[in-house]
Structures are given as structure tokens and as C-alpha cells.
Amino acid sequence: QVQVVESGGGLVQPGGSLRLSCAASGSIFGIYAMGWYRQAPGKQRELVAVITSGGSTSYGDSVKGRFTISRDNPKNTVYLQMNSLKPEDTAVYYCNVAMVVRSVWGQGTQVTVSS
């Protein structure tokens, strides 16, 4: 089975930076995209950033210009560099691995932006 593990979350002050990592392992087949989503208390889960196997990227409007998604395909790992963090970025961040037949979610990592 496929395992998806996020890391790098934590507490950071407003204006600070954080880098999240997501590593996929196991019976992986046909990954065509990996992405980050987040969910804050009382809010819907929303798209943060997605990167395809070909390198195309897309971002949610609220993070454009501040966050950057990248990947290391041989390692099946995707990163999310978060800069100029704001309190409203506080959420649980989830990694999603989209494959030909199904998608798999990680357990999430908490990001808290507070003074």
C-alpha cells in the first residue's frame, strides 16, 4: 500500500517562513500530480498548491506570490516553501498524491502562525 507522510509543520511568527515536505512510498504507480491542501477550524478544505509530473504548477489565490511548490520525482517527494506567513495561514496541511487509479492522503501536519 501507499504511504504519504508530511513533515515540517510547527509554530512560526507572522512574516516567517516554513518548508513542508511530503514523501510517498510503497506501491506507487502512475503519479501524475502531488499537491497540498489545508483546512482551518470551521472552514472547508482548500487547495494550496499542485504540481504535475511534468512540472506544471497551480496555486490557490490566497497563497500566490508567497508559497512555492516543488518536487523531487526520483524520491517521490514534494515540498511547499511558505514565506511571508500570516495568521490566516494557520491550518492543518495535507499532502495528496494523485495516481492513475486513485489518490492517497497524508495524515496532515499542523502549521500555526502566531506571535
Side-chain angles (χ1 to χ4, degrees):
Q1 60 183 19
V2 177
Q3 292 180 303
V4 178
V5 180
E6 303 99 332
S7 62
L11 175 65
V12 64
Q13 294 188 23
S17 298
L18 210 59
R19 190 180 79 153
L20 306 183
S21 298
C22 171
S25 62
S27 301
I28 302 170
F29 176 76
I31 296 175
Y32 65 86
M34 296 180 70
W36 290 95
Y37 296 74
R38 69 186 183 187
Q39 188 167 27
K43 298 183 67 177
Q44 297 269 13
R45 186 172 297 187
E46 64 175 341
L47 170 71
V48 176
V50 172
I51 186 166
T52 70
S53 59
S56 298
T57 60
S58 61
Y59 296 89
D61 289 340
S62 63
V63 307
K64 288 179 179 177
R66 299 188 298 121
F67 291 9
T68 302
I69 189 169
S70 61
R71 91 283 194 216
D72 184 340
N73 284 345
K75 295 182 179 180
N76 291 318
T77 300
V78 65
Y79 306 95
L80 184 68
Q81 179 66 46
M82 304 184 293
N83 298 324
S84 302
L85 284 162
K86 305 174 181 179
E88 52 263 43
D89 294 319
T90 296
V92 177
Y93 284 70
Y94 297 91
C95 180
N96 178 262
V97 179
M99 297 178 286
V100 173
V101 297
R102 68 190 183 103
S103 64
V104 179
W105 292 89
Q107 81 288 344
T109 185
Q110 176 71 46
V111 172
T112 302
V113 184
S114 180
S115 298

